[in-house]
Amino acid sequence: MSSQVLSEQAIATRAFGVLLRAHMSATKQLNAQLVADHGLTLSDYGVLLQLAWAPDRRLRRVDLADKILLTASGITRLLDGLERSGFVERAACDTDRRVVYAVLTDRGHAKLREAAATHVEQIETLFAQRFEASELEALVTLLGRLGDDGYEEPCEPPS
């Protein structure tokens, strides 16, 4: 193997390590703030946000799991807590008894909007403290290449 190939592998491995560390650090900080301020984890927020953007504020549980990159059992555990809090409810499918929907309740939508007011500001502050606007544009472009479909997920609920 040539030294150029080894060098490219080494930098790719370093880049992944830095990306992983940055993700863990940002996630830890933002999750702690969200829990302290609103009693929601980042995963909770992500579920509520996906449901807020979904048609009729509902998604099949399996589709929701795919969107937030969880297993079927992972989404069940997460939704159980949100259901107990009254933020999400189950709904049956009229045409297929095997299908169960997760539906964002009005209470859940209100909680999401309340949390978004500070959470989005915290994200903006975290990134603005470390990057110039042009660097953030480059970061969006570069990290977008790693996404499954190039779609940029919104961090705020719809108006």
Side-chain angles (χ1 to χ4, degrees):
M1 207 177 272
S2 74
S3 62
Q4 181 179 356
V5 170
L6 289 175
S7 176
E8 288 171 2
Q9 287 177 342
I11 193 69
T13 303
R14 277 186 52 221
F16 180 74
V18 170
L19 174 64
L20 189 59
R21 182 71 183 162
H23 173 268
M24 290 187 298
S25 177
T27 298
K28 180 180 179 183
Q29 181 178 339
L30 292 169
N31 192 68
Q33 289 174 328
L34 197 54
V35 168
D37 294 348
H38 303 285
L40 295 174
T41 65
L42 280 174
S43 294
D44 294 337
Y45 185 90
V47 165
L48 298 179
L49 188 61
Q50 288 297 325
L51 291 173
W53 281 102
D56 299 323
R57 298 190 328 198
R58 70 174 42 219
L59 284 170
R60 292 183 327 159
R61 291 165 73 97
V62 66
D63 294 333
L64 181 57
D66 284 344
K67 284 185 171 287
I68 61 169
L69 307 175
L70 280 180
T71 62
S73 62
I75 195 67
T76 295
R77 284 191 302 276
L78 188 54
L79 287 172
D80 283 348
L82 292 171
E83 288 168 6
R84 280 192 302 276
S85 298
F87 301 146
V88 174
E89 62 188 15
R90 292 172 177 251
C93 178
D94 294 335
T95 59
D96 187 343
R97 292 185 312 170
R98 296 169 296 176
V99 173
V100 178
Y101 289 97
V103 181
L104 183 64
T105 64
D106 289 341
R107 182 175 179 193
H109 192 254
K111 183 67 167 181
L112 175 63
R113 293 185 62 79
E114 171 194 308
T118 58
H119 181 58
V120 171
E121 183 179 315
Q122 291 163 349
I123 294 168
E124 293 289 337
T125 300
L126 176 67
F127 280 79
Q129 289 173 343
R130 290 164 176 81
F131 301 103
E132 299 293 325
S134 61
E135 292 173 317
L136 287 171
E137 287 293 334
L139 188 59
V140 167
T141 299
L142 294 170
L143 292 177
R145 294 181 196 167
L146 292 175
D148 291 339
D149 55 14
Y151 177 71
E152 292 181 32
E153 294 285 334
C155 288
E156 296 178 90
S159 301

mmCIF file of all heavy atoms in Angstrom, residues 6 8 15 18 21 28 33 50 55 80 82 84 95 97 100 110 149:
data_model
loop_
_atom_site.group_PDB
_atom_site.id
_atom_site.type_symbol
_atom_site.label_atom_id
_atom_site.label_comp_id
_atom_site.label_asym_id
_atom_site.label_seq_id
_atom_site.Cartn_x
_atom_site.Cartn_y
_atom_site.Cartn_z
ATOM 1 N N LEU A 6 -2.135 5.264 2.799
ATOM 2 C CA LEU A 6 -2.089 5.174 4.258
ATOM 3 C C LEU A 6 -2.347 6.529 4.902
ATOM 4 O O LEU A 6 -3.051 6.629 5.906
ATOM 5 C CB LEU A 6 -0.732 4.625 4.716
ATOM 6 C CG LEU A 6 -0.485 3.148 4.427
ATOM 7 C CD1 LEU A 6 0.931 2.767 4.813
ATOM 8 C CD2 LEU A 6 -1.487 2.287 5.171
ATOM 9 N N GLU A 8 -4.128 9.023 3.602
ATOM 10 C CA GLU A 8 -5.541 9.350 3.434
ATOM 11 C C GLU A 8 -6.404 8.577 4.427
ATOM 12 O O GLU A 8 -7.374 9.107 4.967
ATOM 13 C CB GLU A 8 -5.988 9.056 2.003
ATOM 14 C CG GLU A 8 -5.438 10.049 0.996
ATOM 15 C CD GLU A 8 -5.704 9.644 -0.450
ATOM 16 O OE1 GLU A 8 -6.348 8.594 -0.674
ATOM 17 O OE2 GLU A 8 -5.254 10.374 -1.343
ATOM 18 N N ALA A 15 -10.383 12.305 11.204
ATOM 19 C CA ALA A 15 -11.576 13.131 10.991
ATOM 20 C C ALA A 15 -12.785 12.499 11.677
ATOM 21 O O ALA A 15 -13.575 13.189 12.326
ATOM 22 C CB ALA A 15 -11.843 13.312 9.499
ATOM 23 N N VAL A 18 -12.492 12.998 15.468
ATOM 24 C CA VAL A 18 -12.811 14.367 15.857
ATOM 25 C C VAL A 18 -14.315 14.610 15.749
ATOM 26 O O VAL A 18 -14.923 15.238 16.625
ATOM 27 C CB VAL A 18 -12.007 15.380 15.000
ATOM 28 C CG1 VAL A 18 -12.487 16.795 15.220
ATOM 29 C CG2 VAL A 18 -10.515 15.270 15.308
ATOM 30 N N ARG A 21 -16.010 12.845 18.696
ATOM 31 C CA ARG A 21 -15.775 13.577 19.952
ATOM 32 C C ARG A 21 -16.602 14.866 19.990
ATOM 33 O O ARG A 21 -17.204 15.198 21.014
ATOM 34 C CB ARG A 21 -14.286 13.877 20.105
ATOM 35 C CG ARG A 21 -13.927 14.567 21.373
ATOM 36 C CD ARG A 21 -14.057 13.647 22.556
ATOM 37 N NE ARG A 21 -13.757 14.393 23.765
ATOM 38 C CZ ARG A 21 -14.099 14.015 24.954
ATOM 39 N NH1 ARG A 21 -14.727 12.874 25.141
ATOM 40 N NH2 ARG A 21 -13.813 14.734 25.994
ATOM 41 N N LYS A 28 -23.757 16.132 24.843
ATOM 42 C CA LYS A 28 -23.755 16.144 26.309
ATOM 43 C C LYS A 28 -24.186 17.506 26.834
ATOM 44 O O LYS A 28 -25.043 17.607 27.719
ATOM 45 C CB LYS A 28 -22.358 15.780 26.834
ATOM 46 C CG LYS A 28 -22.262 15.761 28.340
ATOM 47 C CD LYS A 28 -20.855 15.395 28.787
ATOM 48 C CE LYS A 28 -20.759 15.413 30.303
ATOM 49 N NZ LYS A 28 -19.384 15.126 30.752
ATOM 50 N N GLN A 33 -28.623 20.870 29.115
ATOM 51 C CA GLN A 33 -29.390 22.118 29.169
ATOM 52 C C GLN A 33 -30.876 21.871 28.932
ATOM 53 O O GLN A 33 -31.721 22.439 29.609
ATOM 54 C CB GLN A 33 -28.856 23.108 28.126
ATOM 55 C CG GLN A 33 -27.491 23.661 28.480
ATOM 56 C CD GLN A 33 -26.914 24.532 27.371
ATOM 57 O OE1 GLN A 33 -27.154 24.316 26.185
ATOM 58 N NE2 GLN A 33 -26.139 25.523 27.770
ATOM 59 N N GLN A 50 -40.060 15.588 15.036
ATOM 60 C CA GLN A 50 -40.455 14.807 13.866
ATOM 61 C C GLN A 50 -41.974 14.726 13.749
ATOM 62 O O GLN A 50 -42.534 14.855 12.663
ATOM 63 C CB GLN A 50 -39.870 13.387 13.933
ATOM 64 C CG GLN A 50 -38.380 13.322 13.700
ATOM 65 C CD GLN A 50 -37.987 13.779 12.317
ATOM 66 O OE1 GLN A 50 -38.687 13.560 11.337
ATOM 67 N NE2 GLN A 50 -36.838 14.430 12.224
ATOM 68 N N PRO A 55 -47.338 15.038 8.624
ATOM 69 C CA PRO A 55 -48.736 15.331 8.295
ATOM 70 C C PRO A 55 -49.662 14.900 9.442
ATOM 71 O O PRO A 55 -49.502 13.797 9.984
ATOM 72 C CB PRO A 55 -48.998 14.481 7.039
ATOM 73 C CG PRO A 55 -47.643 14.231 6.460
ATOM 74 C CD PRO A 55 -46.695 14.179 7.623
ATOM 75 N N ASP A 80 -42.846 5.401 25.312
ATOM 76 C CA ASP A 80 -43.522 5.094 26.580
ATOM 77 C C ASP A 80 -43.449 6.283 27.538
ATOM 78 O O ASP A 80 -44.438 6.671 28.147
ATOM 79 C CB ASP A 80 -42.930 3.853 27.242
ATOM 80 C CG ASP A 80 -43.383 2.556 26.597
ATOM 81 O OD1 ASP A 80 -44.325 2.584 25.775
ATOM 82 O OD2 ASP A 80 -42.779 1.504 26.917
ATOM 83 N N LEU A 82 -42.828 9.479 26.775
ATOM 84 C CA LEU A 82 -43.542 10.630 26.212
ATOM 85 C C LEU A 82 -45.053 10.447 26.320
ATOM 86 O O LEU A 82 -45.791 11.419 26.509
ATOM 87 C CB LEU A 82 -43.120 10.850 24.755
ATOM 88 C CG LEU A 82 -41.673 11.311 24.566
ATOM 89 C CD1 LEU A 82 -41.281 11.276 23.092
ATOM 90 C CD2 LEU A 82 -41.459 12.691 25.156
ATOM 91 N N ARG A 84 -46.524 8.696 28.806
ATOM 92 C CA ARG A 84 -46.833 8.906 30.227
ATOM 93 C C ARG A 84 -46.911 10.396 30.566
ATOM 94 O O ARG A 84 -47.692 10.808 31.419
ATOM 95 C CB ARG A 84 -45.790 8.220 31.120
ATOM 96 C CG ARG A 84 -46.002 6.736 31.296
ATOM 97 C CD ARG A 84 -45.138 6.154 32.401
ATOM 98 N NE ARG A 84 -43.707 6.371 32.200
ATOM 99 C CZ ARG A 84 -42.922 5.604 31.450
ATOM 100 N NH1 ARG A 84 -43.424 4.538 30.833
ATOM 101 N NH2 ARG A 84 -41.641 5.866 31.326
ATOM 102 N N THR A 95 -57.265 0.976 8.720
ATOM 103 C CA THR A 95 -57.248 -0.032 7.658
ATOM 104 C C THR A 95 -56.326 -1.222 7.928
ATOM 105 O O THR A 95 -56.412 -2.221 7.219
ATOM 106 C CB THR A 95 -56.821 0.618 6.327
ATOM 107 O OG1 THR A 95 -55.523 1.203 6.487
ATOM 108 C CG2 THR A 95 -57.832 1.670 5.889
ATOM 109 N N ARG A 97 -54.772 -3.281 11.358
ATOM 110 C CA ARG A 97 -54.657 -3.392 12.811
ATOM 111 C C ARG A 97 -53.214 -3.570 13.287
ATOM 112 O O ARG A 97 -52.926 -3.343 14.454
ATOM 113 C CB ARG A 97 -55.507 -4.550 13.326
ATOM 114 C CG ARG A 97 -56.987 -4.289 13.168
ATOM 115 C CD ARG A 97 -57.831 -5.361 13.784
ATOM 116 N NE ARG A 97 -57.371 -6.700 13.385
ATOM 117 C CZ ARG A 97 -57.785 -7.828 13.906
ATOM 118 N NH1 ARG A 97 -58.667 -7.814 14.865
ATOM 119 N NH2 ARG A 97 -57.333 -8.985 13.473
ATOM 120 N N VAL A 100 -49.521 0.951 14.211
ATOM 121 C CA VAL A 100 -49.794 1.850 15.332
ATOM 122 C C VAL A 100 -49.072 3.162 15.051
ATOM 123 O O VAL A 100 -47.900 3.170 14.665
ATOM 124 C CB VAL A 100 -49.308 1.257 16.668
ATOM 125 C CG1 VAL A 100 -49.555 2.218 17.814
ATOM 126 C CG2 VAL A 100 -49.976 -0.085 16.938
ATOM 127 N N ALA A 110 -47.162 22.033 22.541
ATOM 128 C CA ALA A 110 -46.875 23.201 23.383
ATOM 129 C C ALA A 110 -45.520 23.043 24.080
ATOM 130 O O ALA A 110 -44.738 24.000 24.159
ATOM 131 C CB ALA A 110 -47.989 23.405 24.406
ATOM 132 N N ASP A 149 -29.618 11.158 2.994
ATOM 133 C CA ASP A 149 -30.321 11.641 1.813
ATOM 134 C C ASP A 149 -30.084 13.116 1.519
ATOM 135 O O ASP A 149 -30.741 13.679 0.658
ATOM 136 C CB ASP A 149 -31.824 11.388 1.942
ATOM 137 C CG ASP A 149 -32.407 11.989 3.209
ATOM 138 O OD1 ASP A 149 -31.741 12.815 3.849
ATOM 139 O OD2 ASP A 149 -33.537 11.614 3.554
#
